[in-house]
Amino acid sequence: MEQAQFSQSTNFATIEDVQKAMFSQQYIADRSLATAVFLALKRRKPLLLEGEPGVGKTEIAKVLASLLNTRLIRLQCYEGIDVNTAVYEWNYTRQMLHIRLLETADVNRQEEMKEIFGPDFLMQRPLLQAIDPHNTQAPVLLIDELDRSDEEFEAYLLELLSDFQITIPEIGTIQAKEPPFVIITSNRTREIHDALRRRCLYYWIDYPTLEKEYQIILTRMPEAPERLSKQVTSFVHELRSMDLYKAPGISETLDWMSSLLALDQQELTEGAVRDSLGALLKYQDDLLKIGGLDIGKIIQKLRGAS
């Protein structure tokens, strides 16, 4: 489907417009990422984002919702997620109350009983909310961490991503008048099936370069001392070169920087690093491994490099 079929305008004429708009939301996007976002908006095609946890995949959906001034609908995936959680379920309590009222009322019960499986008794979950034909503006639908779900649920998404429609046996097929902007994220704990990949644009978000991560810190935390920002960035990149169970992402970098600022640090010291390491590393094995290193020596090395 081409953009001309949809009434909602994205107001982005070029890739550079997307980059500037994302930067206005404090998200620094490379041209390649901005191109993927531009095409997803222009073609109204789902964008599948893969990468390590904490590199900024989910944040893109939040940024887009803000830029488009529309609602963000988030579906957090997990093992065992089903239709009742993701799409819809019937309001059984209300249905039972309605049935009891019908038992005492002088009405055509047969006709009224049909209505209990109508729209008034339907509870919309995120996927159905996203394609509700009553939506006056296309929302941003975030299907977060799809790799955590079962393959059966992934297969269920194919109808939604192909035609932006969902079939409910008791009602029929519900199709969006304004299809949502769809962002799908995966941490690649399992492979996403080819059938779903073919329905999406794709982009891999890697850990940022040293310079980019430094710019991200300055953009998000302009109050942070430049010297501390450079040292934090270099220290994090040093850790990523080590064999850790979970290397810190940009979200952990920002969290650590916030902790250091809360400790009134102007530059890295061994004591401050050891005191705040739990904001950067989230697994005990990694904490023990890094805690056992000569952190003071690492800091001196980083200072010499800067």
Side-chain angles (χ1 to χ4, degrees):
M1 296 184 183
E2 297 300 326
Q3 186 191 26
Q5 293 179 270
F6 307 120
S7 61
Q8 186 177 351
S9 172
T10 59
N11 296 320
F12 300 126
T14 66
I15 296 168
E16 288 74 18
D17 288 342
V18 172
Q19 272 186 299
K20 291 176 183 176
M22 294 180 75
F23 183 76
S24 72
Q25 297 294 314
Q26 299 183 322
Y27 193 104
I28 299 177
D30 297 331
R31 180 177 173 83
S32 55
L33 174 56
T35 301
V37 172
F38 176 79
L39 291 173
L41 295 174
K42 196 83 170 176
R43 299 181 59 197
R44 197 66 67 93
K45 195 174 178 72
L47 176 58
L48 172 60
L49 300 171
E50 286 193 319
E52 296 294 333
V55 294
K57 303 185 296 294
T58 300
E59 191 68 19
I60 289 178
K62 297 177 182 178
V63 167
L64 286 182
S66 179
L67 291 177
L68 298 173
N69 194 27
T70 192
R71 184 165 56 131
L72 173 65
I73 299 175
R74 179 174 182 172
L75 175 64
Q76 179 62 53
C77 297
Y78 55 88
E79 185 178 354
I81 190 172
D82 58 11
V83 172
N84 289 341
T85 305
V87 189
Y88 74 95
E89 67 177 320
W90 295 104
N91 190 332
Y92 295 115
T93 302
R94 189 176 174 191
Q95 285 176 324
M96 291 303 298
L97 289 173
H98 190 71
I99 291 172
R100 290 179 181 176
L101 287 174
L102 292 179
E103 290 173 349
T104 61
D106 185 17
V107 295
N108 185 331
R109 294 183 184 178
Q110 187 173 0
E111 289 298 318
E112 290 290 331
M113 286 293 287
K114 293 179 182 178
E115 292 186 7
I116 67 172
F117 286 102
D120 291 342
F121 296 89
L122 192 66
M123 299 172 65
Q124 293 187 345
R125 298 309 184 201
L127 295 185
L128 189 54
Q129 291 173 20
I131 66 163
D132 189 336
H134 297 102
N135 288 339
T136 57
Q137 188 176 16
V140 172
L141 171 62
L142 169 61
I143 303 175
D144 212 11
E145 298 184 316
L146 178 60
D147 53 316
R148 291 180 177 270
S149 68
D150 303 320
E151 292 185 7
E152 291 78 6
F153 177 72
E154 184 183 323
Y156 184 85
L157 289 176
L158 295 179
E159 180 185 17
L160 173 72
L161 299 180
S162 295
D163 303 309
F164 293 107
Q165 66 180 30
I166 289 173
T167 300
I168 299 176
E170 298 87 350
I171 294 178
T173 299
I174 297 176
Q175 187 169 30
K177 290 182 180 178
E178 282 287 344
F181 301 96
V182 182
I183 300 293
I184 303 172
T185 74
S186 168
N187 296 328
R188 212 171 182 181
T189 58
R190 71 168 177 84
E191 286 295 331
I192 303 300
H193 198 276
D194 287 346
L196 189 139
R197 287 180 180 273
R198 287 196 298 270
R199 287 160 173 78
C200 303
L201 296 170
Y202 176 81
Y203 191 84
W204 172 270
I205 300 183
D206 210 342
Y207 290 119
T209 62
L210 188 70
E211 179 59 30
K212 182 180 177 181
E213 192 154 14
Y214 173 64
Q215 291 299 326
I216 290 172
I217 291 175
L218 293 184
T219 301
R220 292 292 188 92
M221 301 176 181
E223 75 281 6
E226 289 189 17
R227 182 177 177 82
L228 178 62
S229 299
K230 288 181 179 179
Q231 291 174 347
V232 162
T233 306
S234 297
F235 190 90
V236 170
H237 277 250
E238 186 76 14
L239 294 193
R240 288 185 188 139
S241 68
M242 300 178 185
D243 184 21
L244 298 178
Y245 180 77
K246 169 60 178 72
I250 183 61
S251 61
E252 284 83 17
T253 302
L254 294 171
D255 191 27
W256 189 38
M257 175 59 83
S258 294
S259 298
L260 291 169
L261 292 177
L263 294 172
D264 297 322
Q265 296 298 303
Q266 296 297 310
E267 64 176 0
L268 278 188
T269 64
E270 181 172 358
V273 170
R274 293 191 182 279
D275 289 342
S276 60
L277 207 52
L280 184 63
L281 302 173
K282 308 300 181 179
Y283 289 89
Q284 177 67 359
D285 289 349
D286 290 343
L287 286 170
L288 290 174
K289 183 171 186 175
I290 301 305
L293 299 177
D294 188 343
I295 292 177
K297 187 175 181 180
I298 295 175
I299 293 173
Q300 284 300 121
K301 171 187 169 185
L302 299 178
R303 288 175 180 172
S306 61

